[in-house]
Each structure stands twice: as C-alpha cells, then as structure tokens.
C-alpha cells in the first residue's frame, strides 16, 4: 500500500501556501493534525526504534514546528510550508534528517552546524586526510550531494590551496539524497535503505566530532 504521508503533506502545504494566515490554519488544523502531524510522529517513532534496534544508536527524535519564528524576519507569514524532522545522536552532534515540501523530498545525514571545538576537530581530520573523506567521496559517487561551503576563504592556519579546501571552508556538513517517487511511496523502506547506505559516513563523522 502506498505511503500517503508525503502526498497528503504536499496537498496540505500547497493549500497553506495559498492562504498562509492564522485564520485559515485554525480552520484546517484538524486536517493538519490528522493527515500530516500524526503520521509524521508515527514515522518518527518507528524510525527511532529502528535506529536503536538495527543501527545500534540511540537517537532523540524531533518534529519541527509548523509555526515560523518571525521575530527577526521580513517575511511575516506565520506557518512553514514544509515537513522537517530529525533523529539526533546522543554523544555527537550528528543527525539523521528528513524533509519534504511541495518542491523536494530528501534525506540527509550529518551536522548542520558545529561549535568551535567540533569545527576544529573536523578541520584537523580534513587536513590530515582522515578516512571520513573517503566516506564523503563514496556517497557523492553514489549520487548524494552536499551544500556549498559556508566560507569564501580557507581559515588559518590552513593553506588556501589545500587539496581539501572546500571541506575546510565548511561550518557544518550534511550529505543529501533526493528521493524519487518510488521511494516516497514506500517511505519507511526508503529511509531505512538510505540510512543504512550512509551509515559508514554517520559513524565516521561521529568518530571525528564526537
């Protein structure tokens, strides 16, 4: 049977984008709770159990709020039009990520941002050619992608022409896989398959910045 979470979420978010007001959301909150929030929370729970039982890693699940933080934003629309969730490892700032909207559906693994100490550990590992870089290369060869580096220049004390300059210019790193329609239709299986595929990367990154 086809998993309906993403089709239902996309339909809801399309309508929300057209009428992104508190009045509209209040009138349709029951639909959001039933067709988006409840199945998303069930998915979070199933994958939390799977991470513990299969990957052998304890994670903290989180479903991101639909309410936007508009305090410092020029965009005052009150609600997000996407579904984001994560499973955060204990003992290392590494997360398993899943996000969907009308325009994308993707899975990610990595550290969105690193604090000063973790960033120093990452850059030291990159500079010495740690095996973590081989895990990045392997997933990229398999079609996974990374966001662009955050910094324009390589930070001191590393050379600007360092062979791994792009990785040294990062403040965080996540590897992403865009899900196709077949994966969306069988979401549990797809998440498990992709998290398994990238588990070497997860373990290597946790070792480096744990």
């Amino acid at each position: 049977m086809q998993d309906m979470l993403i089709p239902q979420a996309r339909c809801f978010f399309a309508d929300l984008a057209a009428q992104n007001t508190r009045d509209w959301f209040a009138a349709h909150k029951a639909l959001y709770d039933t067709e988006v929030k409840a199945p998303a929370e069930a998915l979070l729970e199933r994958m939390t159990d799977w991470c513990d039982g299969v990957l052998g890693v304890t994670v903290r699940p989180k479903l991101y709020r639909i309410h936007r933080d508009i305090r410092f934003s020029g965009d005052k629309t009150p609600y997000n039009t996407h579904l984001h969730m994560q499973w955060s490892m204990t003992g290392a700032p590494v997360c398993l990520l899943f996000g969907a909207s009308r325009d994308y559906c993707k899975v990610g693994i990595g550290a969105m941002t690193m604090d000063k100490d973790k960033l120093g550990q990452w850059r030291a590992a990159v500079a010495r050619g740690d095996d973590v870089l081989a895990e990045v290369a392997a997933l990229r060869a398999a079609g996974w992608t990374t966001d662009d580096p955050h910094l324009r220049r390589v930070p001191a004390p590393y050379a600007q022409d360092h062979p791994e300059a792009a990785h040294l210019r990062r403040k965080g790193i996540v590897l992403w896989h865009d899900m196709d329609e077949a994966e969306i239709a069988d979401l549990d299986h797809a998440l498990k398959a992709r998290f398994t595929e990238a588990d070497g990367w997860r373990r290597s990154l946790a070792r480096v910045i744990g």
Side-chain angles (χ1 to χ4, degrees):
M1 186 175 75
Q2 180 171 335
D3 190 309
M4 293 304 296
L5 171 58
I6 301 310
Q8 290 172 175
R10 283 176 165 171
C11 183
F12 180 85
F13 289 136
D15 291 341
L16 174 59
Q19 298 285 337
N20 199 332
T21 66
R22 290 182 174 83
D23 287 344
W24 187 93
F25 184 76
H28 295 81
K29 185 178 183 300
L31 182 65
Y32 169 74
D33 288 342
T34 300
E35 296 197 352
V36 181
K37 186 177 181 180
E41 289 175 336
L43 175 63
L44 270 172
E45 184 175 352
R46 292 194 302 272
M47 291 304 300
T48 298
D49 292 342
W50 180 83
C51 286
D52 181 56
V54 176
L55 296 185
V57 58
T58 301
V59 294
R60 299 186 308 277
K62 175 180 179 180
L63 177 64
Y64 281 80
R65 299 171 70 245
I66 193 170
H67 300 83
R68 295 182 63 245
D69 183 353
I70 61 175
R71 290 174 298 172
F72 308 108
S73 174
D75 178 3
K76 298 303 182 182
T77 51
Y79 303 106
N80 290 310
T81 55
H82 56 245
L83 174 69
H84 286 178
M85 62 183 72
Q86 72 181 41
W87 298 265
S88 303
M89 288 181 57
T90 58
V94 178
C95 296
L96 311 179
L97 303 158
F98 175 69
S101 75
R102 295 167 295 156
D103 304 316
Y104 63 81
C105 185
K106 60 177 60 181
V107 58
I109 299 179
M112 296 291 289
T113 59
M114 304 178 200
D115 65 24
K116 182 178 179 181
D117 290 341
K118 302 303 183 186
L119 193 53
Q121 292 169 218
W122 164 256
R123 289 174 178 162
V126 168
R128 67 174 179 264
D130 189 275
D131 289 345
V132 71
L133 299 178
E135 297 291 347
V136 175
L139 285 181
R140 278 179 160 173
W144 293 62
T145 61
T146 56
D147 296 326
D148 292 335
H150 302 82
L151 302 176
R152 296 181 62 183
R153 294 179 57 80
V154 175
Y158 306 106
Q160 294 301 311
D161 61 352
H162 192 285
E164 297 294 346
H167 286 318
L168 290 170
R169 288 161 48 213
R170 298 187 183 281
K171 289 182 164 182
I173 179 170
V174 176
L175 282 154
W176 298 102
H177 166 78
D178 289 305
M179 289 186 159
D180 59 28
E181 292 304 314
E183 290 177 301
I184 290 171
D186 193 0
L187 196 53
D188 282 52
H189 176 77
L191 286 172
K192 293 171 184 176
R194 294 304 176 181
F195 287 159
T196 299
E197 178 185 15
D199 198 48
W201 156 243
R202 178 193 64 80
R203 288 185 282 107
S204 290
L205 183 62
R207 169 181 54 80
V208 166
I209 64 173

